[in-house]
Amino acid sequence: MSDPGRYRIQTVADMTGVSAATLRQWERRYGVPSPDRTESAYRVYSARDVDQIRRMVALGEQGVSPSEASRLVVAEDAAVAREVDTIDPSLGETVLDELDPYFEARRRIIETVEQYDFDGLAAVMRKLLYLGNAVSLFERIIAPTMREIGQRWHDGTLSVAQEHMASEAVGQLMHQLLPLVQPEESDLTAALACMGEDTHSLPLYGVGFRLAQWGYRSMVLGARTPPDAIAAIRANTELTVIGLSITLAPAEMKAQRMVQAYAESAGDVPWMVGGRGARPMAPLVEKAGGLVAPTDAAGLRALMQRLAARRRGQRSG
């Protein structure tokens, strides 16, 4: 089907978190993605190219090598194409999208946002609940869609009103969904919060969904959570771990004061920092007794299992 390229390579790198150099390497080695070229030989990526990249990233986070991930992505797309071949061609070019509910959901969210269609957006949000488990919904629909909306706001092709419209609708869905997927009874509890002035609370729900799969109940404290709030939660709740998120690391002196304040608020509860801003702050976090959250799902799961075993050992000791 027709799916013209519209994103330049640096835009795609920002949208997916995969560097431009890696994108070129994947194209050269594995043929995925396969962007079009302009008359000036610049790469232009389609929405489907971006979707393929995100699926490769998701597989990589599960421990799959890039070569195997590319093979699986190509095989999955070929299977969908074979289904299209069995359908009456008179149905048109939308068939492929409709056979890929994740792609279609992302397209519909952005379409309703572009049109300021609040009712349509609410209807899409309700339908998401039928498309799979919470982790799949977040990682294959919500997170990539919000990254694209954020990028388009940054580029000036969406307004701040449209970005807020999408954020509010997604936030409401995440807030409603998390209690539904958490284990009813568990001795493992996590408090999840944004550090300092960070307002990007959406990733906290993605972590909460994964932790629910691993037997944890999560309390999402949201944006701009001060150390005093962490201390209050820790004093009144039996916590297994405190998870903090930071998108943009502050200047070193401010970061040092901030990390120390959160370390003191955590007390004897293990605490970790994740998000884009975590790596630059890693030496400060580790010096203060904290952990830097692994960026891959397998690594995070192994860490959470160790913390769970430690907690249960303390209780039985």
Side-chain angles (χ1 to χ4, degrees):
M1 62 175 285
S2 175
D3 187 15
R6 50 179 172 164
Y7 303 115
R8 297 286 283 270
I9 190 167
Q10 191 54 54
T11 298
V12 173
D14 293 339
M15 291 166 64
T16 63
V18 179
S19 70
T22 299
L23 291 174
R24 288 190 286 266
Q25 184 182 73
W26 284 358
E27 179 187 349
R28 183 173 63 255
R29 292 185 178 180
Y30 315 121
V32 178
S34 54
D36 293 332
R37 299 290 184 117
T38 66
E39 292 182 358
S40 302
Y42 288 110
R43 291 174 173 82
V44 283
Y45 294 77
S46 69
R48 285 202 168 276
D49 291 325
V50 174
D51 180 60
Q52 285 186 326
I53 295 164
R54 285 172 173 154
R55 280 184 283 157
M56 285 189 63
V57 170
L59 288 166
E61 290 176 347
Q62 298 171 30
V64 179
S65 68
S67 59
E68 179 65 8
S70 65
R71 189 191 67 77
L72 291 172
V73 165
V74 170
E76 184 179 59
D77 288 349
V80 173
R82 284 194 296 272
E83 292 185 59
V84 173
D85 287 342
T86 67
I87 297 176
D88 186 346
S90 66
L91 293 178
E93 292 185 342
T94 61
V95 170
L96 185 57
D97 288 347
E98 292 169 355
L99 288 176
D100 182 350
Y102 298 107
F103 183 93
E104 174 65 8
R106 293 192 298 271
R107 186 189 68 79
R108 284 289 295 143
I109 291 171
I110 292 174
E111 182 180 74
T112 56
V113 169
E114 288 175 333
Q115 298 171 357
Y116 289 92
D117 183 358
F118 284 83
D119 292 338
L121 181 58
V124 175
M125 290 293 127
R126 289 193 296 270
K127 291 179 180 178
L128 294 186
L129 298 175
Y130 300 97
L131 292 182
N133 63 49
V135 171
S136 294
L137 294 184
F138 185 86
E139 296 184 355
R140 298 194 65 178
I141 300 176
I142 297 301
T145 301
M146 292 309 297
R147 281 195 294 267
E148 180 167 353
I149 287 173
Q151 183 63 44
R152 292 181 61 175
W153 168 77
H154 184 269
D155 293 342
T157 56
L158 287 179
S159 70
V160 65
Q162 290 167 311
E163 192 275 337
H164 280 229
M165 171 186 169
S167 296
E168 181 66 17
V170 166
Q172 289 180 6
L173 178 66
M174 299 296 96
H175 184 72
Q176 295 167 2
L177 185 56
L178 185 58
L180 299 178
V181 302
Q182 303 212 62
E184 292 185 6
E185 296 183 7
S186 177
D187 61 345
L188 305 174
T189 306
L192 306 175
C194 294
M195 299 180 78
E197 295 301 308
D198 198 299
T199 60
H200 296 83
S201 59
L202 184 61
L204 301 178
Y205 288 95
V207 173
F209 295 146
R210 278 211 175 270
L211 295 186
Q213 288 186 324
W214 305 333
Y216 280 79
R217 293 183 62 80
S218 296
M219 295 179 292
V220 174
L221 305 180
R224 296 192 178 102
T225 303
D228 288 350
I230 298 295
I233 291 291
R234 185 257 301 166
N236 292 279
T237 309
E238 287 195 30
L239 294 175
T240 309
V241 64
I242 296 167
L244 303 172
S245 178
I246 184 79
T247 304
L248 183 62
E252 185 174 356
M253 290 301 295
K254 183 176 180 180
Q256 187 172 358
R257 292 193 298 269
M258 183 171 67
V259 167
Q260 189 58 43
Y262 282 100
E264 293 171 1
S265 72
D268 61 353
V269 176
W271 58 284
M272 68 178 68
V273 180
R276 293 181 184 176
R279 289 293 161 187
M281 296 169 58
L284 295 174
V285 171
E286 292 167 353
K287 183 178 180 180
L291 302 164
V292 176
T295 57
D296 62 292
L300 180 61
R301 182 173 188 176
L303 175 57
M304 300 310 294
Q305 288 173 335
R306 291 197 297 272
L307 293 178
R310 169 181 165 178
R311 184 62 170 167
R312 287 166 175 160
Q314 290 173 341
R315 288 177 175 173
S316 63

